[in-house]
Amino acid sequence: MINPGLYKVEFRTARGTGSGVVTLGNGRFQGGDGAFYYVGTYVEDGEKFNATVHVKRHSAGNSVVPENSTIQVHGSSTESAAQLSGTVVGAPGLTFQAHLKRLAD
């Protein structure tokens, strides 16, 4: 299971790549980057990680997902990282990949 804390997130879709930071803890997922903020929830079952994340724009900038999107991801986690893939709800065929790496408590 992934430890609570601050994580770097690197993500990719067919529209491009990006990165930001997120905090994980108590089933909550919060973070952002230069143009978007992310809020959502996650659940774990051993090394299985599932999350639903709502992405909303706060400033102008490049967009690798449609504005005001919901992303559903799943994958595997360790104590300090997660490898995830999933879909952007409402954007058929737009897949999403992400890697989380722990930075601090």
Side-chain angles (χ1 to χ4, degrees), residues 72-83:
Q72 294 179 322
V73 294
H74 61 276
S76 61
S77 62
T78 65
E79 291 181 352
S80 61
Q83 190 68 37

Side-chain angles (χ1 to χ4, degrees), residues 23-35:
T23 58
L24 299 176
N26 298 320
R28 294 186 52 116
F29 187 112
Q30 297 179 312
D33 59 40

Side-chain angles (χ1 to χ4, degrees), residues 42-53:
Y42 69 93
V43 294
E44 292 182 280
D45 181 9
E47 293 181 358
K48 295 179 183 177
F49 186 99
N50 294 287
T52 300
V53 181

Side-chain angles (χ1 to χ4, degrees), residues 23-96:
T23 58
L24 299 176
N26 298 320
R28 294 186 52 116
F29 187 112
Q30 297 179 312
D33 59 40
F36 291 89
Y37 67 93
Y38 337 122
V39 293
T41 58
Y42 69 93
V43 294
E44 292 182 280
D45 181 9
E47 293 181 358
K48 295 179 183 177
F49 186 99
N50 294 287
T52 300
V53 181
H54 305 285
V55 179
K56 299 194 184 270
R57 183 177 291 282
H58 64 73
S59 300
N62 292 335
S63 178
V64 300
V65 297
E67 291 190 32
N68 302 322
S69 296
T70 298
I71 300 168
Q72 294 179 322
V73 294
H74 61 276
S76 61
S77 62
T78 65
E79 291 181 352
S80 61
Q83 190 68 37
L84 309 170
S85 62
T87 58
V88 179
V89 176
L94 186 58
T95 60
F96 187 91

